[in-house]
Amino acid sequence: MDAEAALAWLDAIIPPQTGERLSDLQKVILVQVWLGRKYLDIAHSYGCTEGHAKDAGSQLWKLLSKVLREKITKSNCRATLERVLRKTTAISSSLIDYSRSPQPTPKLEDTNFIGRTEAIAHLNTLVNQGSKVIVIQGEGGLGKTTLAQQYLQTQGFDLVLELLMAKETQNITPAERVVEEWLKQDFDREPGVEFGVTLGRLKRELHNRRIGVLIDNLEPALDQQGRLIASHRNYVELLRVLADARVQSVTLITSRDRLCEPGLNVNHYRLPGLDQSAWQKFFRNRGLAIDSPTLQIMHRTYCGNAKAMGILCGSIQEDFGGDMALYWQENHADPLAATDLKNLAVSQINRLQALDPQAYRLLCRLGCYRYQDIPTIPSQGLFCLLWDVPPDQHRQIIASLRNRSLVECDKGEYWLHPVIRKEAIARLRPSDEWEITNHQAAEFWTASIKQIETFKDALQAIEAYYHYIEINEFDLAGKVILKSRNNQWQQFLPLGSTLYRMGLIQPILTAINQVVNNLENDPNLSELYNILGDLYWIIGKISQAIACQEKTIKLATQSLKSLVPQPENKHTV
């Protein structure tokens, strides 16, 4: 019995009982606790604070206790799960029941095509509902083309027509020539003198036979608003024929950008990344030994991107002798280390820069957020980065990023794919907007928290600190730590004091040390040393605690001596 089997079983039984799913961090915690690792090690490997890992772990044990109807803790989880799994005789049938697709799907034997059973079923559902044109949308490398080709080749079409759109706009083949070639080569029919006549002949062929059509990589033909560019408007007429309710054809379009032609009846399918089990199967099919914690982190970093999966597999085999853990140890700091991966992000961002400069600037600015302790950003966090744009244009600019699959969104919360963020921040950092962007983000975080009642509130409030540290504004970083708010115990305390009362001792200890080591003669130093002394006392470092409090007394005494006790500064004294 291993952790992967336990995870597969839990993924099957938890949603039907609770409506919840394990988060990525909870899955990492379960696997690594199974291997006997501590929260601190888990936090380091995942890239979060130890307190955040402990909080997620606590929620995990509560959820498992609820589902399994017995007390589950970090110390007993492995033994309990192994015992329950041994007693469960219907595990296999349960897994089949919960993963069964509602639509019949073809058996996929191709080892290069894995993990897309649900996607095939989704396309079938749309087709059965009458969809004639479906846009498979997503960022580069997801496997949009592979999915479309596999679908059209396995669903019993009489004929499949393919149009591979040129990568560069100036090289796009006119729609007239495309349709002429289809009529001559595939239907043995002569085109008409006028394009309308030619389209009519194509339409009659589509009435009589079940045809599959692939239009691959449409985005070079789209403008800033997602409409067909002026020089290729005839593609609108072609798509209108393909979308006619009376044709027997099904057309799949792949595109990084959303198609926004108001006169066309098309459906969009946002293709998700491959799940972790697909990555695991892919690597195993190629003879690689699986290191589960490493695979989990790599999968999360690249959001299941299929292209990344293939590139990583090749690099691990060729350059690291099949050692997955060693590869990640060397490359985890730079997810764009592989040239092919970098090119995927760069080409898409370069195109945005040319088509929509305002959306491009927002994308680069979004790179300043860490997406670590607070993994998603509310819409107000995007609005604050559009300081140079009228408010009535804000949502349009954000929609531009969403339509191009460059920003992820769920229920009004936004985040950047780690690979996109890597390129975005690389462009922002050397620009003259680096400092003001971090200032705006820091002010947003500070203003967003009025009082601290939850663990998330505390983490959100301290985010401003990291932005000021990035631009070496240590005095402002110190003010973040000292900003007082009401907390869950009805105390009005500085953020640093509230954080250590909530158990976030190490993060605030590190934060204060970084500030005090970079400040001299700052009026806030005495209060920072006071909190630092409390922290050292709590963790048992008494000598360091005394030294900090002595500095507090010295600095406070010096400040008092510089003040003249008059009525107007009585409060300051």
Side-chain angles (χ1 to χ4, degrees):
M1 181 61 60
D2 61 15
E4 294 298 333
L7 270 179
W9 182 60
L10 292 171
D11 276 343
I13 68 169
I14 290 175
Q17 291 191 44
T18 67
E20 299 179 52
R21 290 187 180 277
L22 297 182
S23 68
D24 286 344
L25 177 54
Q26 287 175 326
K27 291 179 180 180
V28 170
I29 289 171
L30 181 62
V31 171
Q32 299 222 25
V33 164
W34 191 283
L35 299 173
R37 298 197 171 114
K38 299 179 179 178
Y39 277 124
L40 182 60
D41 299 325
I42 297 171
H44 285 163
S45 65
Y46 188 83
C48 67
T49 63
E50 182 182 10
H52 186 39
K54 286 183 176 179
D55 191 64
S58 175
Q59 295 300 317
L60 172 63
W61 312 135
K62 289 178 183 177
L63 178 61
L64 295 184
S65 299
K66 177 181 177 181
V67 170
L68 300 179
R69 296 179 176 82
E70 64 178 286
K71 182 71 173 178
I72 305 294
T73 65
K74 178 175 180 285
S75 58
N76 75 1
C77 80
R78 177 170 180 171
T80 304
L81 286 173
E82 286 181 329
R83 172 171 50 79
V84 173
L85 281 167
R86 279 196 297 268
K87 290 181 178 180
T88 303
T89 58
I91 295 175
S92 298
S93 61
S94 296
L95 287 173
I96 294 169
D97 288 343
Y98 289 119
S99 63
R100 185 177 296 143
S101 168
Q103 295 289 337
T105 57
K107 188 175 181 180
L108 306 175
E109 300 292 346
D110 186 356
T111 59
N112 291 309
F113 186 81
I114 56 175
R116 290 302 188 195
T117 303
E118 289 187 12
I120 294 285
H122 189 95
L123 293 176
N124 270 326
T125 298
L126 291 175
V127 170
N128 292 337
Q129 291 172 348
S131 296
K132 299 297 181 180
V133 178
I134 302 169
V135 180
I136 302 173
Q137 187 193 351
E139 64 269 17
L142 270 185
K144 302 182 294 294
T145 302
T146 302
L147 170 64
Q149 289 174 334
Q150 184 76 8
Y151 182 86
L152 294 174
Q153 294 297 331
T154 59
Q155 299 302 307
F157 289 100
D158 300 332
L159 175 67
V160 174
L161 307 175
E162 289 196 9
L163 167 57
L164 306 181
M165 198 70 71
K167 298 291 185 183
E168 303 297 331
T169 301
Q170 63 269 23
N171 296 327
I172 294 175
T173 304
E176 304 93 300
R177 282 184 53 193
V178 171
V179 178
E180 287 175 3
E181 285 294 315
W182 284 348
L183 284 174
K184 288 180 178 180
Q185 300 296 327
D186 298 291
F187 298 105
D188 196 24
R189 293 286 304 275
E190 285 298 319
V193 177
E194 297 178 349
F195 186 50
V197 175
T198 301
L199 282 178
R201 292 176 181 176
L202 173 65
K203 189 174 182 179
R204 284 192 291 275
E205 294 295 333
L206 300 179
H207 281 177
N208 300 326
R209 298 171 62 186
R210 190 163 182 266
I211 307 296
V213 181
L214 169 60
I215 301 177
D216 189 35
N217 188 43
L218 182 65
E219 67 269 11
L222 301 178
D223 64 13
Q224 180 180 347
Q225 283 76 40
R227 302 185 66 179
L228 273 302
I229 57 179
S231 57
H232 287 287
R233 294 297 295 172
N234 275 342
Y235 274 104
V236 176
E237 301 308 316
L238 170 58
L239 291 174
R240 188 171 285 117
V241 167
L242 294 173
D244 189 283
R246 295 165 294 177
V247 300
Q248 293 191 54
S249 64
V250 172
T251 299
L252 300 183
I253 300 173
T254 68
S255 178
R256 298 183 186 186
D257 299 356
R258 188 176 182 87
L259 176 60
C260 301
E261 281 288 347
L264 290 178
N265 182 23
V266 302
N267 289 90
H268 282 80
Y269 171 44
R270 181 67 167 85
L271 184 63
L274 292 167
D275 63 25
Q276 187 179 316
S277 64
W279 272 47
Q280 182 168 313
K281 183 176 181 180
F282 183 85
F283 282 110
R284 278 189 174 150
N285 285 346
R286 280 147 185 79
L288 286 179
I290 303 298
D291 182 81
S292 294
T294 300
L295 182 67
Q296 285 182 340
I297 297 168
M298 288 198 306
H299 176 267
R300 176 170 55 87
T301 298
Y302 295 101
C303 297
N305 187 281
K307 180 73 170 179
M309 176 181 70
I311 293 171
L312 292 171
C313 184
S315 296
I316 292 168
Q317 284 178 318
E318 296 169 15
D319 303 328
F320 290 84
D323 192 326
M324 183 180 293
L326 180 59
Y327 170 85
W328 194 241
Q329 180 181 332
E330 292 291 325
N331 292 283
H332 72 277
D334 185 6
L336 288 176
T339 303
D340 290 346
L341 290 176
K342 184 176 179 67
N343 290 341
L344 279 176
V346 168
S347 63
Q348 197 163 358
I349 294 173
N350 285 347
R351 183 169 183 275
L352 176 70
Q353 184 178 14
L355 285 178
D356 195 339
Q358 288 183 325
Y360 170 76
R361 284 195 293 273
L362 175 59
L363 179 70
C364 293
R365 293 169 184 176
L366 283 170
C368 80
Y369 287 118
R370 298 191 311 141
Y371 309 98
Q372 187 171 317
D373 297 328
I374 304 296
T376 61
I377 313 298
S379 56
Q380 292 298 325
L382 277 66
F383 296 157
C384 79
L385 300 185
L386 291 168
W387 64 82
D388 51 353
V389 177
D392 60 353
Q393 297 179 26
H394 287 183
R395 295 195 180 277
Q396 178 184 341
I397 292 171
I398 295 169
S400 179
L401 294 181
R402 291 186 61 183
N403 289 344
R404 290 180 169 84
S405 309
L406 284 166
V407 64
E408 307 290 335
C409 178
D410 183 49
K411 298 177 182 177
E413 295 283 320
Y414 297 85
W415 68 97
L416 292 185
H417 184 293
V419 172
I420 297 295
R421 187 205 176 232
K422 181 78 175 179
E423 182 64 19
I425 200 170
R427 296 177 184 223
L428 177 67
R429 198 182 295 275
S431 76
D432 56 6
E433 293 189 346
W434 173 242
E435 290 194 10
I436 187 174
T437 300
N438 277 287
H439 268 285
Q440 293 288 335
E443 290 169 9
F444 157 71
W445 287 123
T446 298
S448 68
I449 299 298
K450 304 302 181 185
Q451 61 184 39
I452 298 175
E453 297 181 348
T454 66
F455 192 73
K456 183 178 179 181
D457 292 339
L459 292 174
Q460 194 162 318
I462 197 64
E463 278 295 304
Y465 160 87
Y466 296 105
H467 289 285
Y468 288 131
I469 290 295
E470 280 285 355
I471 54 177
N472 297 320
E473 295 277 7
F474 298 103
D475 56 333
L476 294 176
K479 288 180 180 179
V480 172
I481 296 169
L482 297 179
K483 181 173 175 58
S484 294
R485 297 177 177 87
N486 288 315
N487 63 25
Q488 59 183 321
W489 302 286
Q490 286 72 55
Q491 300 167 317
F492 187 71
L493 290 176
L495 176 60
S497 300
T498 294
L499 287 177
Y500 76 65
R501 281 167 170 77
M502 297 182 78
L504 290 168
I505 294 175
Q506 288 302 324
I508 197 63
L509 187 66
T510 301
I512 294 178
N513 270 313
Q514 189 160 11
V515 171
V516 299
N517 290 336
N518 286 280
L519 286 182
E520 292 183 10
N521 303 320
D522 187 276
N524 293 316
L525 273 173
S526 61
E527 192 171 358
L528 288 168
Y529 274 117
N530 185 30
I531 298 174
L532 189 59
D534 289 347
L535 288 164
Y536 281 130
W537 172 68
I538 289 169
I539 64 176
K541 295 186 176 181
I542 305 303
S543 297
Q544 289 168 273
I546 293 172
C548 286
Q549 299 300 358
E550 288 175 342
K551 287 183 180 178
T552 299
I553 294 169
K554 180 180 178 180
L555 290 166
T557 303
Q558 289 174 350
S559 297
L560 283 172
K561 287 179 179 178
S562 67
L563 293 172
V564 178
Q566 294 177 349
E568 60 267 23
N569 68 3
K570 181 180 179 181
H571 180 73
T572 305
V573 174

